[in-house]
Amino acid sequence: ETLGFRAGRVGDLLASVESAAADGVKARLVSMLALENREVLIEKAPVSEDRSEYHAALTGVVANLRDARALPALGAALPTGFIAQRGVALLGVAAVPTLSLAFDSGLKPAQAGALHSLELLLAEQHEPMPAADRRAVRRIVLGGLAHPDFNIRLAAVGAAAHLAATDASVRDALVQ
């Protein structure tokens, strides 16, 4: 089974039940991801290949819900890669506080994940961003570009490229 097929089956299930029941299913899926994150990412439990695949599949299902209640769980999973990063980005501007928390954690995998997710978010952002969110995004990107770790600076370049056309401080940071 592919991750897309699993997510599609969950989508079919959610479409077939009443909205209150679907909401309960969504909340339970988010809770399940939060629990998996605690056990796999925080408590560093031994992870088999099956468990790792389960975590990735569950992350994909929760990401495809496009439910803002999932932001804390998806934010915690940002270091795991594209599936969580895309899931956060799909929530648009609502994800900026989650990305800010991840970047401010000081944990390099979380910082890189936040920057990759921000690049995806900015690539799809077609409406003006509220000023406070734009300031937060600028701070994250400039922080990434100035980071002492090469991999964090590299992760920041994609997001910076999206901002450089409209933000002189980001453009200046790129040409220095």
Side-chain angles (χ1 to χ4, degrees), residues 14 17-30 65 67 69:
L14 293 173
V17 297
E18 293 181 31
S19 94
D23 191 61
V25 171
K26 289 178 182 180
R28 181 67 183 129
L29 288 167
V30 171
L65 295 176
D67 189 323
R69 294 175 298 181

Side-chain angles (χ1 to χ4, degrees), residues 10-18 22:
V10 171
D12 292 344
L13 168 69
L14 293 173
S16 71
V17 297
E18 293 181 31

Side-chain angles (χ1 to χ4, degrees), residues 2 29 73 89 113 117 131 136 139 153 162:
T2 66
L29 288 167
S117 185
R139 181 187 62 77
R153 292 192 309 272
H162 289 288

Side-chain angles (χ1 to χ4, degrees), residues 65-72 91 94 98:
L65 295 176
R66 297 183 185 209
D67 189 323
R69 294 175 298 181
L71 278 169
L91 291 165
T98 297

Side-chain angles (χ1 to χ4, degrees), residues 12 25 29 54 93 112 116 123 148 165 171:
D12 292 344
V25 171
L29 288 167
Y54 168 71
V93 175
H116 288 302
R171 188 171 44 253

Side-chain angles (χ1 to χ4, degrees), residues 68-103:
R69 294 175 298 181
L71 278 169
L74 290 170
L78 282 170
T80 65
F82 180 78
I83 296 170
Q85 294 162 8
R86 181 183 141 275
V88 171
L90 286 172
L91 291 165
V93 175
V96 171
T98 297
L99 295 172
S100 188
L101 282 172
F103 188 80

Side-chain angles (χ1 to χ4, degrees), residues 11-172:
D12 292 344
L13 168 69
L14 293 173
S16 71
V17 297
E18 293 181 31
S19 94
D23 191 61
V25 171
K26 289 178 182 180
R28 181 67 183 129
L29 288 167
V30 171
S31 296
M32 290 168 61
L33 180 58
L35 175 64
E36 281 300 306
N37 286 342
R38 274 193 301 280
E39 292 179 2
V40 173
L41 302 175
I42 297 170
E43 296 171 7
K44 305 283 187 195
V47 180
S48 66
E49 186 175 342
D50 287 343
R51 182 90 182 256
S52 180
E53 288 179 12
Y54 168 71
H55 187 266
L58 182 59
T59 301
V61 167
V62 171
N64 284 325
L65 295 176
R66 297 183 185 209
D67 189 323
R69 294 175 298 181
L71 278 169
L74 290 170
L78 282 170
T80 65
F82 180 78
I83 296 170
Q85 294 162 8
R86 181 183 141 275
V88 171
L90 286 172
L91 291 165
V93 175
V96 171
T98 297
L99 295 172
S100 188
L101 282 172
F103 188 80
D104 292 344
S105 73
L107 302 171
K108 291 177 188 175
Q111 291 175 313
L115 288 160
H116 288 302
S117 185
L118 190 55
E119 177 183 0
L120 297 168
L121 186 156
L122 292 170
E124 297 300 319
Q125 184 68 30
H126 302 295
E127 56 195 52
M129 191 178 288
D133 291 318
R134 185 148 178 96
R135 283 191 301 276
V137 166
R138 180 185 306 119
R139 181 187 62 77
I140 294 166
V141 171
L142 290 174
L145 290 172
H147 200 281
D149 185 275
F150 169 76
N151 291 313
I152 305 301
R153 292 192 309 272
L154 184 61
V157 170
H162 289 288
L163 289 181
T166 59
D167 191 311
S169 62
V170 173
R171 188 171 44 253
D172 292 346

